Amino acid sequence: MSDLISMTLAEARDAIRAKKLSSRELTGAFVTAIEAARPLNAFITEAGEQALAAADAADKRIAAGTMGDLEGLPLAIKDLFCTKGVRTTAASKILGNFIPPYESTVTQNLWDAGAVMLGKTNLDEFAMGSSNETSHFGPVFNPWRASNSNANLVPGGSSGGSSAAVAADLCLAATGTDTGGSIRQPAAITGRVGLKPTYGRCSRFGIVAFASSLDQAGPMTKTVRDAAIMLKTMASVDPKDSTSMDVPVPDYEKLLEGGIKGLRIGIPKEYRVEGAAAEVDALWTKGADWLKAQGAEIVEVSLPHTKYALPTYYIVAPAEASSNLARYDGVKFGYRAPKARDITDLYERSRGEGFGAEVQRRILIGTYVLSAGYYDAYYSKAQKLRTLIKRDFEQAFEKCDVLLTPSTPGPAFAVGAKTSDPLEMYLQDVFTVTVNLAGLPGISVPAGLTSNGLPLGLQLIGKAFDEATLLRAALAVETAADFKHSPAKWWSV
Amino acid sequence: MNAPVKNKLLKGETGDWEIVIGMEVHAQVLSNSKLFSGASTEFGAEPNSQVSFIDAGFPGMLPVINAKCIEQAVRTGLGLKAQINLRSLFDRKNYFYPDLPQGYQISQYKDPIVGEGEVLIDLKDGETIQVGIERLHLEQDAGKSLHDQHPDSSFVDLNRSGIALMEIVTKPHMRTSEEAAAFLKKLRAIVRYLGTCDGNMDEGSMRADVNVSVCRAGGYEKFRADGSFKHLGTRCEIKNVNSMRFIAQAVEYEARRQIEVIEGGGAIRQETRLYDSKLGETRSMRSKEEAHDYRYFPDPDLLPLELDAGWVEAIKATLPELPDEKKARFMAAGLSAYDASVLVAERELADFYEELAKGVDAKAAANWLNNEILGRLNRDGLSIAEVPVTAGANNAIIQMVADKTISGKIAKDLLDIVWSEGGDPRAVVEARGMKQVTDTGAIDAAIEAVIAANPDKVEEVKAKPKLAAWFVGQVMKQTGGKANPAAVNAALKTRLNLPDEG
Amino acid sequence: MSVDKDTVRRIAKLARLAVPETRLEPMAGELNGIFQWVEMLGEVNVEGVPAMTSVVAQKLKWREDVVTDGGQAAAVTANAPDGEDNFFVVPKVVE
């Protein structure tokens, strides 16, 4: 059975297509594994029964020969995607028992292709965090532990439940969302693949919004091939999202072939930052060597405004969030504080009691930077910096096709290690956040282990809507890294 | 042209004051569905039955703009002779209110779809003034809170939430309540001609906020000369002025209030005030008292709205004839400025008039409409749309007067008959023998009968030729009003040997 | 510029967040830490640089004016903490 759950998405798909395996069998194995892995706290809502019913329906379609691209394949869904009839929480108390009467476009695309939902994964509250410690439903533990310690580590965030679920073989693949690094950072520190597509590639319809101009859904998978398979189905041109780009979705898996001979790989010199682990730098150099060995050309490029990306992000994202989260007011859905004296009291206490500390902090930051007298100094300035950051990339892409950088400044850290200082936590996104500000695609690929056995990733950044080239380069890194490690299953004793 | 005009001054205890008025009009866009969702805009539906999850601000819902609403805003902008901005932005206006489910209103703040324009308004004394339009932008309407359903609760209905509104902002170019009311009337006429808003104030599809300030006589003139607001007083925004009638009351009350405050040594605080139509006064709005900070920023769920210049031109080509142009055409046909402006104020009235005036004298048709038809409609409490006698039938009556088939007096009787009983006017004239008598034999006979019965009057008229009018009256009576008055006059002159100037 | 306790109180009021009195001071400290860090943006000259108003390079999509939604009052109010006759119910609002 552990063989079943450790399969890649592509392997499971091929086995099901070859009728060597039923969806029921596969889904059952995952349902059992999820129950056994409850100590990880990767799921907020398990949907075992519903999953088995969906698997049976998939098996019928398989028997009838009407198979979708992901027929019968069990997936985990970040609990930020609205799922019709299934509680959606955004890991917040304020959504209470919210049952969406609609389905997000991305998940609908998955179900239309025949995929099976195993449950809704944990995350940082409203996707605000880099360690999955801000969840109202408690922290998620990283399946990985250092070789010299039994301390619980964070799985990254905000898509920490998804990263843990993929790394612990609790699903074939999972969905995530990435606003400043929330797919790539958790994927990197759990030793798996995380892809943030170009802004506008996957519809945002039905995804609980954090920062609208930065949010983008993407896959979290075991392999680059699996990411290509998932993206093809998740992506679509959606008339319900005005920012969904009108560009056809190619068959990314087919475009994986062909190698990287002649591909120009840019190494941005500004990504050597103080505070990053020495092993991170070493791995980055190694990554460049791997690609060079496969025929790519390595070029040094400059992204001069890189160091301004994080502070820019911490103006833009909270500003948008402060507005996006105004709808949680205890009136239409979700938590309402009891015995309100009047409407203002109802608002203030519902929101004060319903939102956690980090969300409140960001709402306050966002409210402040948009308030009268500060707009120009903060929000307007930050949006101008975004233009400069985007220009940096455009200029770099005149010299190269794909950029190679580290994914994170270091490996997974201990639960509680960075919760006292928000700034230290924010630095987790130092390598990933530029990509969101510029709306580009980025992918983290597992590339090695630290000396104490914790995974590290390398990030590749592509041109807008050129996920195909990005995935091809990612496959080259994956092949060279030959990362075959998995965490010891300490949670299921 | 903008010198302090005597009748625009208000007397205070310390001298003369001027009122300065600007308006913000919210006009509901005529469209089937809402600005950013596919829910219906129909009026009067069951609570929350015309609400999409977008309108209710549900998690993950996103706005997608309605093409028709863009077109209607552009059409209105063109009708206001305004600048159409080919690139505009949607911003979020952030505040908390139970009828604002998203916690923000999507509006246009810095870059509206329509820029500066103008509206001409006609006043009773024949004066025409130009009111500058500052801007027009698109925004979402809010829902509705009902406060009278329960002692401690308000009930929220979101049917109106998300319906497209055009907010039309004027410059402070009005100076009397009459001008303010005339502006709103004119604006209403324009949008109704354009078909971009039904102008129905009872259903709230047109709502006006009125900005009122007062300044010392001459201040307005200085403001118009150099554009500096320092010449004007602090303004108060009066909300909820939802009928033409209330505008005058609200403005008068508010101006008086402000003058009293200033003359009493106080200062006007810039604030939002609510007009209470029952008490006929304005009062400070509690809910708006706290300082507002709307934290506007471009809505990241939407992209900039870009219009194609050719598309705008194509809309321009389909604009109907607007009131000002129609008025000019009516005047060229012989109507007075006043008559023409009354006729064009309502598109239905103008359309009725155009049919009524076909092939007859324009002035005669206008007089007929003003004196006879509108008088009867007013008496019966009917609108022009409910007129019981068609424009065509009225046209027939006017034609019969013109070709002397009937007299002017008979025409009025005829209208009364078809007004209450219906029927074709020509047939009624035939059937009831209402045709004018021009037969001199019949007239002569009537004259002889009158002379025979009144020998004393015959003597009298020789000395007082003015008495001839009395004879005319008697002869008309004899003929049941059907005699042609001109023929009677002529025959009497001859018979009684009266001088020409008699 | 620095954020003090009163500023936090004002901002919290604008954001309709009940922040306990005892949390105002520490929150001011946290926000100051973040804003001091953000101050580094002051180094960059952004004169003449346009603010980013859209991430994707395309025109705003327009929807046809047809009624495709609504008629679901029960679903719209199903998640409401308090409701009656398909209305949302809130404490009395005074205008």
mmCIF file of all heavy atoms in Angstrom, chain A residues 4-26:
data_model
loop_
_atom_site.group_PDB
_atom_site.id
_atom_site.type_symbol
_atom_site.label_atom_id
_atom_site.label_comp_id
_atom_site.label_asym_id
_atom_site.label_seq_id
_atom_site.Cartn_x
_atom_site.Cartn_y
_atom_site.Cartn_z
ATOM 1 N N LEU A 4 1.552 2.315 -3.363
ATOM 2 C CA LEU A 4 0.514 3.067 -4.069
ATOM 3 C C LEU A 4 0.642 4.558 -3.785
ATOM 4 O O LEU A 4 0.641 5.376 -4.701
ATOM 5 C CB LEU A 4 -0.885 2.599 -3.618
ATOM 6 C CG LEU A 4 -1.394 1.261 -4.133
ATOM 7 C CD1 LEU A 4 -2.852 1.083 -3.719
ATOM 8 C CD2 LEU A 4 -1.279 1.187 -5.652
ATOM 9 N N ILE A 5 0.739 4.911 -2.495
ATOM 10 C CA ILE A 5 0.706 6.332 -2.172
ATOM 11 C C ILE A 5 2.006 7.046 -2.520
ATOM 12 O O ILE A 5 2.035 8.258 -2.639
ATOM 13 C CB ILE A 5 0.318 6.589 -0.687
ATOM 14 C CG1 ILE A 5 1.323 5.944 0.260
ATOM 15 C CG2 ILE A 5 -1.099 6.122 -0.402
ATOM 16 C CD1 ILE A 5 1.102 6.321 1.712
ATOM 17 N N SER A 6 3.071 6.291 -2.718
ATOM 18 C CA SER A 6 4.314 6.985 -3.073
ATOM 19 C C SER A 6 4.483 7.147 -4.581
ATOM 20 O O SER A 6 5.490 7.660 -5.053
ATOM 21 C CB SER A 6 5.516 6.264 -2.454
ATOM 22 O OG SER A 6 5.565 4.947 -2.942
ATOM 23 N N MET A 7 3.482 6.710 -5.327
ATOM 24 C CA MET A 7 3.553 6.894 -6.783
ATOM 25 C C MET A 7 3.515 8.382 -7.141
ATOM 26 O O MET A 7 2.944 9.182 -6.409
ATOM 27 C CB MET A 7 2.346 6.220 -7.464
ATOM 28 C CG MET A 7 2.528 4.744 -7.682
ATOM 29 S SD MET A 7 1.350 4.152 -8.911
ATOM 30 C CE MET A 7 -0.064 3.963 -7.906
ATOM 31 N N THR A 8 4.082 8.694 -8.270
ATOM 32 C CA THR A 8 3.903 10.056 -8.786
ATOM 33 C C THR A 8 2.533 10.125 -9.455
ATOM 34 O O THR A 8 1.914 9.098 -9.738
ATOM 35 C CB THR A 8 4.978 10.436 -9.816
ATOM 36 O OG1 THR A 8 4.784 9.625 -10.984
ATOM 37 C CG2 THR A 8 6.380 10.220 -9.250
ATOM 38 N N LEU A 9 2.107 11.344 -9.727
ATOM 39 C CA LEU A 9 0.827 11.544 -10.402
ATOM 40 C C LEU A 9 0.845 10.868 -11.774
ATOM 41 O O LEU A 9 -0.116 10.198 -12.170
ATOM 42 C CB LEU A 9 0.571 13.047 -10.551
ATOM 43 C CG LEU A 9 -0.746 13.474 -11.185
ATOM 44 C CD1 LEU A 9 -1.881 13.411 -10.166
ATOM 45 C CD2 LEU A 9 -0.642 14.920 -11.705
ATOM 46 N N ALA A 10 1.962 11.027 -12.474
ATOM 47 C CA ALA A 10 2.068 10.448 -13.819
ATOM 48 C C ALA A 10 2.007 8.927 -13.760
ATOM 49 O O ALA A 10 1.337 8.287 -14.576
ATOM 50 C CB ALA A 10 3.368 10.900 -14.485
ATOM 51 N N GLU A 11 2.699 8.363 -12.767
ATOM 52 C CA GLU A 11 2.685 6.895 -12.633
ATOM 53 C C GLU A 11 1.277 6.395 -12.329
ATOM 54 O O GLU A 11 0.808 5.422 -12.930
ATOM 55 C CB GLU A 11 3.629 6.461 -11.496
ATOM 56 C CG GLU A 11 5.103 6.571 -11.855
ATOM 57 C CD GLU A 11 6.029 6.504 -10.631
ATOM 58 O OE1 GLU A 11 5.512 6.377 -9.489
ATOM 59 O OE2 GLU A 11 7.255 6.587 -10.827
ATOM 60 N N ALA A 12 0.604 7.054 -11.401
ATOM 61 C CA ALA A 12 -0.748 6.629 -11.034
ATOM 62 C C ALA A 12 -1.685 6.767 -12.225
ATOM 63 O O ALA A 12 -2.512 5.888 -12.491
ATOM 64 C CB ALA A 12 -1.252 7.455 -9.859
ATOM 65 N N ARG A 13 -1.544 7.864 -12.935
ATOM 66 C CA ARG A 13 -2.382 8.078 -14.113
ATOM 67 C C ARG A 13 -2.184 6.944 -15.112
ATOM 68 O O ARG A 13 -3.161 6.372 -15.630
ATOM 69 C CB ARG A 13 -2.022 9.404 -14.773
ATOM 70 C CG ARG A 13 -2.759 9.659 -16.078
ATOM 71 C CD ARG A 13 -2.149 10.796 -16.860
ATOM 72 N NE ARG A 13 -0.770 10.510 -17.254
ATOM 73 C CZ ARG A 13 0.015 11.391 -17.858
ATOM 74 N NH1 ARG A 13 -0.416 12.616 -18.117
ATOM 75 N NH2 ARG A 13 1.250 11.064 -18.191
ATOM 76 N N ASP A 14 -0.927 6.625 -15.367
ATOM 77 C CA ASP A 14 -0.646 5.578 -16.352
ATOM 78 C C ASP A 14 -1.163 4.215 -15.886
ATOM 79 O O ASP A 14 -1.691 3.442 -16.684
ATOM 80 C CB ASP A 14 0.861 5.531 -16.642
ATOM 81 C CG ASP A 14 1.350 6.835 -17.286
ATOM 82 O OD1 ASP A 14 0.474 7.608 -17.759
ATOM 83 O OD2 ASP A 14 2.567 7.085 -17.300
ATOM 84 N N ALA A 15 -1.042 3.963 -14.565
ATOM 85 C CA ALA A 15 -1.530 2.686 -14.034
ATOM 86 C C ALA A 15 -3.046 2.587 -14.160
ATOM 87 O O ALA A 15 -3.588 1.524 -14.502
ATOM 88 C CB ALA A 15 -1.114 2.533 -12.574
ATOM 89 N N ILE A 16 -3.725 3.696 -13.888
ATOM 90 C CA ILE A 16 -5.182 3.692 -14.004
ATOM 91 C C ILE A 16 -5.612 3.539 -15.457
ATOM 92 O O ILE A 16 -6.511 2.765 -15.794
ATOM 93 C CB ILE A 16 -5.776 4.962 -13.358
ATOM 94 C CG1 ILE A 16 -5.741 4.805 -11.838
ATOM 95 C CG2 ILE A 16 -7.193 5.235 -13.847
ATOM 96 C CD1 ILE A 16 -6.289 5.981 -11.061
ATOM 97 N N ARG A 17 -4.928 4.265 -16.332
ATOM 98 C CA ARG A 17 -5.255 4.153 -17.761
ATOM 99 C C ARG A 17 -5.049 2.732 -18.266
ATOM 100 O O ARG A 17 -5.799 2.243 -19.098
ATOM 101 C CB ARG A 17 -4.371 5.109 -18.574
ATOM 102 C CG ARG A 17 -4.890 6.526 -18.492
ATOM 103 C CD ARG A 17 -4.155 7.419 -19.470
ATOM 104 N NE ARG A 17 -4.647 8.786 -19.314
ATOM 105 C CZ ARG A 17 -4.056 9.840 -19.832
ATOM 106 N NH1 ARG A 17 -2.955 9.714 -20.560
ATOM 107 N NH2 ARG A 17 -4.567 11.034 -19.656
ATOM 108 N N ALA A 18 -4.000 2.091 -17.718
ATOM 109 C CA ALA A 18 -3.695 0.712 -18.146
ATOM 110 C C ALA A 18 -4.577 -0.288 -17.410
ATOM 111 O O ALA A 18 -4.411 -1.497 -17.580
ATOM 112 C CB ALA A 18 -2.222 0.427 -17.890
ATOM 113 N N LYS A 19 -5.472 0.243 -16.556
ATOM 114 C CA LYS A 19 -6.399 -0.569 -15.756
ATOM 115 C C LYS A 19 -5.670 -1.546 -14.846
ATOM 116 O O LYS A 19 -6.173 -2.614 -14.515
ATOM 117 C CB LYS A 19 -7.409 -1.284 -16.675
ATOM 118 C CG LYS A 19 -8.118 -0.310 -17.580
ATOM 119 C CD LYS A 19 -9.504 -0.747 -18.015
ATOM 120 C CE LYS A 19 -10.181 0.416 -18.728
ATOM 121 N NZ LYS A 19 -11.101 0.078 -19.762
ATOM 122 N N LYS A 20 -4.458 -1.140 -14.419
ATOM 123 C CA LYS A 20 -3.729 -1.940 -13.442
ATOM 124 C C LYS A 20 -4.149 -1.542 -12.034
ATOM 125 O O LYS A 20 -3.754 -2.173 -11.069
ATOM 126 C CB LYS A 20 -2.221 -1.683 -13.584
ATOM 127 C CG LYS A 20 -1.614 -2.292 -14.828
ATOM 128 C CD LYS A 20 -0.124 -1.987 -14.863
ATOM 129 C CE LYS A 20 0.484 -2.372 -16.197
ATOM 130 N NZ LYS A 20 1.667 -1.564 -16.497
ATOM 131 N N LEU A 21 -4.865 -0.464 -11.954
ATOM 132 C CA LEU A 21 -5.188 0.105 -10.657
ATOM 133 C C LEU A 21 -6.535 0.806 -10.777
ATOM 134 O O LEU A 21 -6.809 1.437 -11.795
ATOM 135 C CB LEU A 21 -4.090 1.124 -10.304
ATOM 136 C CG LEU A 21 -4.193 1.932 -9.015
ATOM 137 C CD1 LEU A 21 -4.075 1.013 -7.804
ATOM 138 C CD2 LEU A 21 -3.082 2.982 -8.978
ATOM 139 N N SER A 22 -7.370 0.647 -9.720
ATOM 140 C CA SER A 22 -8.637 1.391 -9.746
ATOM 141 C C SER A 22 -8.484 2.647 -8.906
ATOM 142 O O SER A 22 -7.645 2.710 -8.004
ATOM 143 C CB SER A 22 -9.775 0.532 -9.201
ATOM 144 O OG SER A 22 -9.642 0.401 -7.796
ATOM 145 N N SER A 23 -9.307 3.601 -9.215
ATOM 146 C CA SER A 23 -9.299 4.833 -8.434
ATOM 147 C C SER A 23 -9.714 4.526 -7.000
ATOM 148 O O SER A 23 -9.175 5.083 -6.042
ATOM 149 C CB SER A 23 -10.240 5.867 -9.059
ATOM 150 O OG SER A 23 -10.322 6.994 -8.230
ATOM 151 N N ARG A 24 -10.663 3.620 -6.846
ATOM 152 C CA ARG A 24 -11.146 3.238 -5.511
ATOM 153 C C ARG A 24 -9.990 2.744 -4.636
ATOM 154 O O ARG A 24 -9.834 3.153 -3.497
ATOM 155 C CB ARG A 24 -12.197 2.137 -5.689
ATOM 156 C CG ARG A 24 -12.651 1.470 -4.415
ATOM 157 C CD ARG A 24 -13.730 2.288 -3.767
ATOM 158 N NE ARG A 24 -13.962 1.895 -2.384
ATOM 159 C CZ ARG A 24 -14.994 2.288 -1.675
ATOM 160 N NH1 ARG A 24 -15.897 3.099 -2.200
ATOM 161 N NH2 ARG A 24 -15.146 1.895 -0.437
ATOM 162 N N GLU A 25 -9.191 1.865 -5.245
ATOM 163 C CA GLU A 25 -8.050 1.276 -4.538
ATOM 164 C C GLU A 25 -7.063 2.371 -4.111
ATOM 165 O O GLU A 25 -6.639 2.451 -2.959
ATOM 166 C CB GLU A 25 -7.353 0.350 -5.538
ATOM 167 C CG GLU A 25 -6.799 -0.919 -4.986
ATOM 168 C CD GLU A 25 -6.201 -1.750 -6.149
ATOM 169 O OE1 GLU A 25 -6.725 -1.680 -7.304
ATOM 170 O OE2 GLU A 25 -5.212 -2.419 -5.912
ATOM 171 N N LEU A 26 -6.748 3.214 -5.074
ATOM 172 C CA LEU A 26 -5.769 4.278 -4.846
ATOM 173 C C LEU A 26 -6.303 5.284 -3.822
ATOM 174 O O LEU A 26 -5.617 5.652 -2.862
ATOM 175 C CB LEU A 26 -5.487 4.983 -6.181
ATOM 176 C CG LEU A 26 -4.434 6.077 -6.185
ATOM 177 C CD1 LEU A 26 -3.071 5.541 -5.794
ATOM 178 C CD2 LEU A 26 -4.360 6.719 -7.588
#
